[in-house]
Amino acid sequence: MANNVSVESARSIPKNADAIGIPVGVTGTVPRQLGLSRSALSEHGFDGKVGQTLVVPSSNGPTLVAVGIGDARKATAATVRRSAAALARATARRSHVVTNLVDAVSLDARTAAQAAVEGFVLASYRYTDLKSGVTNPAITLTLVASGARAKGCDSGVDRGRATSSAAWTARDLANTPPAYLTARMLADRAVTLAKESGLEVEVFDNDKLAVMGCGGLLGVNRGSTEPARMVKLTYTPSGAASGHLVMVGKGITYDSGGISLKPSDAMHANMKMDMSGAAAVLSAMSALKALRCRAKVTGYLMCTDNRPSGSALAMGDVLTFRNGKTAEIHNTDAEGRLVLADGLSLGTESKPDAMIDIATLTGACLAALGTKIAGVLGTSDSFIDQVRGAAERADEPVWQLPLERDYRRLLDSNVADMRNIGGPYAGAITAALFLAEFTGEVPWAHLDIAGPMNVDGDDGWLSRGATGFGTRLLIDLALNFTKPRR
Ligand code: BES
Ligand code: MN
Ligand code: ZN
């Protein structure tokens, strides 16, 4: 469902507010408006730490909520985002929430406002489309900033609206069950979103994919009763482009494992989220025009489900990809790399300045880095540094793993150019080495988001279910993109 939180920027506290978030640091004076001393606050377990809130009941007028901001002088986008998320959770049933959080921190107003909007909106997220009789109530957030900070706040609110709506869309897409979001439906959604957000869009069906030689996407699709789709999105900036960036997203709308069937555990039920990479690319690109991105960006969404059936990909089958390389299938559950291979091959053909793919690719990456951190690997440290910068600013953490060339031999095949799985160890690295075969000379980075694609329970600005991880990272990356060295 569409984002139900509307955000505005104001110079003073509006009259009709029904909750006011009052920032309180771990040190310094407690705002008089709250009517409580620091010792009274701490008696109630509130000491101003980031993430803490204390609701002060009142019999008339708006409810006051103390919002912890930690050390106001050391505030970062990440701490402001978390403070605003805590405010959203403390005021969940209020329709109009106001706060002067942006004015309370020594962080530039634009950055603070953007982070506050993101934290509040994303913490308010719920996937309710399939709950009968449940709709998300309309909520208004007003960010109050005064004097010299007002202008920055206005522009931060605009940005935050765009980035949080994009992440919201990515969450909605990933939370949608397989039968409600087939490859065809995902492509239809992409067409609608593209038209609404000023992107060019082209959809490729199985016939076109066959002509193009996309044997990886078609191979994975072979077991399905639903056809595959590839979606190509193009964002062209209005002035001269600062560079050309390609984004490729894994769009497996449901990953059963195929013939290498997954066990029916909780993880398997999350495999409706195996298109989280494609969702991140699509939703990130949908925000580029509003944010006046100066780089040209081309996106490829590689969409199909992965199913077992009489026609499904078999062990020992060999696929030929768009760039002519071949792979022998040793595990049909290693399907993400097969669909990405065609997307990356296509991406290199236009000789972009850099290319990034994003995929819920390996359980090995989840095992290595856990649910909070995505793996990043690639062929250009200078481009990976840009990715790390974007991750830092978006608070979507990544950690670089080595693209160890010595492990390439683990992919050797007796009959084809490579096999589609490595050995029992370093699964995130061997998966990336497989992808590297399709990136030619283009500086390339790969994001493995198998860990952070999902959270089991609400946590700060993450709301249970799909996280939309990577959406805001990709937006930031595109906005700050410069041609990398290889
Ligand atoms: N989509 C999965 C990876 C995944 C696992 C994502 C857990 C999110 C949470 C991927 O297609 C997969 O099945 N990978 C296999 C690869 C293996 C067969 C080499 C895996 O990680 O087990
Ligand atoms: Mn799989
Ligand atoms: Zn998968």
Side-chain angles (χ1 to χ4, degrees):
M1 202 157 72
N3 180 352
N4 61 305
V5 187
S6 48
V7 188
E8 55 185 41
S9 179
R11 305 289 171 262
S12 58
I13 292 181
K15 293 269 174 300
N16 53 347
D18 49 9
I20 304 180
I22 299 172
V24 181
V26 285
T27 56
T29 51
V30 174
R32 272 232 313 277
Q33 201 186 355
L34 206 52
L36 289 169
S37 66
R38 187 167 288 281
S39 58
L41 286 172
S42 54
E43 265 172 46
H44 289 88
F46 177 92
D47 9 71
K49 290 192 184 122
V50 174
Q52 289 182 335
T53 53
L54 185 70
V55 177
V56 182
S58 69
S59 38
N60 58 344
T63 304
L64 303 182
V65 182
V67 181
I69 56 168
D71 183 341
R73 289 157 309 178
K74 292 194 188 138
T76 62
T79 64
V80 171
R81 210 178 275 113
R82 279 201 283 141
S83 297
L87 173 62
R89 297 202 186 281
T91 56
R93 275 170 292 276
R94 307 301 172 137
S95 59
H96 190 177
V97 181
V98 179
T99 182
N100 62 332
L101 183 56
V102 172
D103 264 352
V105 290
S106 36
L107 180 69
D108 81 88
R110 190 172 82 161
T111 307
Q114 180 182 342
V117 174
E118 290 171 347
F120 191 95
V121 171
L122 293 177
S124 305
Y125 177 84
R126 272 278 173 268
Y127 181 67
T128 51
D129 289 9
L130 302 174
K131 284 190 180 283
S132 52
V134 179
T135 46
N136 293 330
I139 299 172
T140 302
L141 169 69
T142 305
L143 291 184
V144 175
S146 52
R149 294 177 71 77
K151 267 221 147 81
C153 185
D154 291 350
S155 118
V157 164
D158 286 344
R159 287 177 157 238
R161 250 192 229 118
T163 56
S164 57
S165 289
W168 186 292
T169 301
R171 288 179 180 186
D172 268 351
L173 290 168
N175 280 324
T176 306
Y180 294 79
L181 193 73
T182 61
R184 280 188 290 178
M185 296 180 198
L186 180 49
D188 289 347
R189 294 286 293 274
V191 169
T192 309
L193 265 170
K195 291 199 169 132
E196 287 167 1
S197 56
L199 303 171
E200 254 176 80
V201 59
E202 207 180 336
V203 177
F204 299 83
D205 63 13
N206 289 43
D207 290 341
K208 284 188 184 152
L209 290 166
V211 171
M212 293 164 79
C214 292
L217 180 54
L218 289 173
V220 175
N221 181 246
R222 217 184 271 170
S224 182
T225 53
E226 276 288 326
R229 287 289 184 268
M230 182 179 78
V231 181
K232 181 181 179 186
L233 300 161
T234 311
Y235 167 75
T236 312
S238 50
S242 62
H244 180 201
L245 176 61
V246 166
M247 300 179 178
V248 182
K250 171 176 173 181
I252 301 294
T253 54
Y254 169 60
D255 182 9
S256 72
I259 294 291
S260 312
L261 192 63
K262 288 181 184 295
S264 306
D265 56 16
M267 191 56 86
H268 192 153
N270 278 343
M271 286 303 134
K272 66 178 184 181
M273 298 180 191
D274 213 19
M275 33 55 70
S276 295
V281 171
L282 170 60
S283 48
M285 286 188 68
S286 76
L288 296 180
K289 188 168 183 217
L291 295 170
R292 288 181 291 277
C293 176
R294 292 187 312 111
K296 175 184 164 89
V297 182
T298 309
Y300 293 92
L301 317 180
M302 312 305 291
C303 310
T304 178
D305 52 349
N306 180 27
R307 305 265 191 173
S309 80
S311 59
L313 204 54
M315 245 48 77
D317 267 342
V318 172
L319 298 179
T320 304
F321 302 97
R322 166 75 185 178
N323 74 349
K325 291 196 183 182
T326 57
E328 184 188 6
I329 305 307
H330 280 247
N331 191 321
T332 63
D333 201 9
E335 86 296 342
R337 62 199 74 184
L338 305 177
V339 306
L340 291 170
D342 288 327
L344 291 168
S345 300
L346 285 163
T348 57
E349 289 171 20
S350 60
K351 301 206 176 356
D353 297 303
M355 185 158 64
I356 185 164
D357 74 80
I358 176 164
T360 47
L361 203 63
T362 66
C365 199
L366 167 62
L369 299 174
T371 58
K372 289 270 176 188
I373 305 167
V376 60
L377 306 92
T379 52
S380 159
D381 282 334
S382 129
F383 183 45
I384 288 173
D385 284 345
Q386 289 188 41
V387 174
R388 292 162 68 186
E392 174 82 37
R393 288 184 292 271
D395 199 12
E396 293 185 325
V398 302
W399 193 261
Q400 187 176 0
L401 299 173
L403 190 69
E404 178 53 64
R405 298 287 177 176
D406 253 11
Y407 294 168
R408 171 60 180 81
R409 71 185 70 156
L410 298 171
L411 295 172
D412 286 349
S413 158
N414 295 338
V415 299
D417 295 336
M418 57 207 145
R419 341 189 300 163
N420 79 325
I421 54 167
Y425 310 125
I429 298 173
T430 51
L433 284 166
F434 185 96
L435 299 179
E437 298 284 329
F438 303 90
T439 61
E441 297 300 310
V442 179
W444 160 73
H446 155 64
L447 282 174
D448 191 331
I449 59 166
M453 73 170 189
N454 161 69
V455 274
D456 290 335
D458 295 345
D459 179 8
W461 46 270
L462 295 174
S463 298
R464 69 166 184 257
T467 58
F469 188 102
T471 305
R472 289 183 304 103
L473 186 163
L474 290 177
I475 292 173
D476 188 291
L477 182 71
L479 294 182
N480 293 294
F481 182 66
T482 54
K483 297 177 186 180
R485 296 183 306 277
R486 192 176 143 96

